[in-house]
Amino acid sequence: MGFFYQQASAQEIEARAYSNAPIGINFVSGGIAQAKSGSYTLVTEAVNMTRIIDVFGQSGRISLLLPYAQLSGTGSTGSSNMNASAEGLSDPVVKISANLYGAPALSLDEFKYYQQDLIIGASLAASVPWGKYNSEQMLNVGANRSLFQPAFGASQAIGPWRLELAGMATIYTSNTNFLGGNTLSQNPIYSTEGHVIYYFPNTAYISADATYFMGGQKYVNGTAINGSQENWRFGSTLSYPINKQNSIRLTGSKGVYSNTNTNYEALGISWQYRWGGGL
């Protein structure tokens, strides 16, 4: 079997998670992404809303992700066929980020003179189990459980380049209605990701991304059902400004190694609009 929706969400490679922006700026983006693993396909349309805030004199942000997904495919586990057919709201995700060093809270006018050096930041993301879930299906677009993802990272500027490194843990609550009343639990997944980003003079940027995951042993009613994961993924992001308020972003990533056959390929495109803060 390929992947669950929540696993694909947890393994997103996010460049520029630790960066500075003027206080009071708002971002809204809408996009579509497709993830494929074997014969399974997950298509997700999502809206993301973000506001830049002042956190004790450093910049931070609060974000809300609202996804809607369609899952399809046919596979097998052992001698049993396993069909996946689901569509509906997926689990929303709330994320709060705070830069701890090197990203002072600035107005739009003050930000014009800001030059990045080293930024250190932290974040916490959490999913809300509101997605559509059918306890008679193994694969769903909602997980019927929550995840919490604390992270810590840094970004170093070298001319037009940015070098980023972050580490995080993904912690899962239990699904107590798995396949008709069973309890699905899972150990945390620990991961690290790195990015090499190049900024063009017009503020467009392109990045090379990599991430490594380990852990995530799953249990049903206390009995292990698979081994711990060990995954490598590589990807790239391209962002291009259309004008002062609009930009387009293209993303892609591919699993290059997995010891539990949970690799998948993902492609996405999104449009972003920003306003506020005197813009």
Side-chain angles (χ1 to χ4, degrees):
M1 188 178 64
F3 61 90
F4 294 94
Y5 167 77
Q6 202 172 48
Q7 175 177 299
S9 299
Q11 294 188 7
E12 180 185 3
I13 312 175
E14 182 183 2
R16 298 180 74 248
Y18 304 99
S19 59
N20 202 359
I23 300 305
I25 291 287
N26 304 286
F27 300 90
V28 61
S29 63
I32 184 170
Q34 176 179 276
K36 292 181 66 70
S37 178
S39 64
Y40 294 103
T41 300
L42 175 70
V43 177
T44 303
E45 301 88 18
V47 174
N48 188 293
M49 295 168 284
T50 298
R51 180 172 175 83
I52 307 301
I53 58 175
D54 184 333
V55 182
F56 301 110
Q58 296 284 316
S59 69
R61 63 189 67 193
I62 182 167
S63 301
L64 173 63
L65 175 68
L66 300 174
Y68 186 93
Q70 303 87 40
L71 175 64
S72 61
T74 301
S76 61
T77 175
S79 60
S80 302
N81 291 328
M82 185 164 47
N83 298 323
S85 179
E87 178 177 350
L89 177 71
S90 297
D91 297 334
V93 177
V94 178
K95 184 175 182 180
I96 300 175
S97 304
N99 290 314
L100 307 175
Y101 174 84
L106 302 172
S107 67
L108 184 63
D109 288 338
E110 293 171 329
F111 190 79
K112 295 175 183 178
Y113 306 100
Y114 170 76
Q115 296 292 326
Q116 180 185 330
D117 185 15
L118 172 65
I119 293 176
I120 298 173
S123 64
L124 176 64
S127 68
V128 184
W130 289 350
K132 185 178 180 181
Y133 181 76
N134 181 350
S135 65
E136 301 302 319
Q137 294 182 181
M138 182 172 287
L139 298 179
N140 286 276
V141 295
N144 198 42
R145 60 176 181 168
S146 295
L147 67 78
F148 299 90
Q149 193 174 68
F152 183 83
S155 173
Q156 175 67 58
I158 305 175
W161 298 88
R162 303 291 185 271
L163 306 179
E164 296 184 348
L165 183 65
M168 65 197 71
T170 304
I171 303 165
Y172 300 90
T173 63
S174 296
N175 176 1
T176 57
N177 195 21
F178 178 69
L179 292 180
N182 297 291
T183 297
L184 172 69
S185 57
Q186 184 172 359
N187 290 344
I189 293 177
Y190 301 98
S191 60
T192 184
E193 62 182 62
H195 310 273
V196 178
I197 306 168
Y198 180 79
Y199 279 87
F200 297 93
N202 66 345
T203 72
Y205 70 86
I206 187 169
S207 71
D209 314 311
T211 185
Y212 171 76
F213 292 80
M214 63 179 293
Q217 171 80 58
K218 294 187 179 75
Y219 304 86
V220 173
N221 299 329
T223 301
I225 60 172
N226 64 358
S228 295
Q229 300 180 41
E230 186 180 5
N231 296 348
W232 277 100
R233 295 184 60 76
F234 293 98
S236 184
T237 302
L238 172 65
S239 177
Y240 190 84
I242 303 302
N243 54 35
K244 190 175 182 180
Q245 294 176 299
N246 296 274
S247 62
I248 293 177
R249 189 176 74 159
L250 304 174
T251 60
S253 64
K254 179 180 177 62
V256 294
Y257 170 76
S258 172
N259 68 333
T260 56
N261 193 30
T262 53
N263 272 339
Y264 65 92
E265 301 175 358
L267 293 172
I269 182 170
S270 62
W271 162 83
Q272 183 183 81
Y273 175 77
R274 65 175 187 167
W275 79 98
L279 187 65

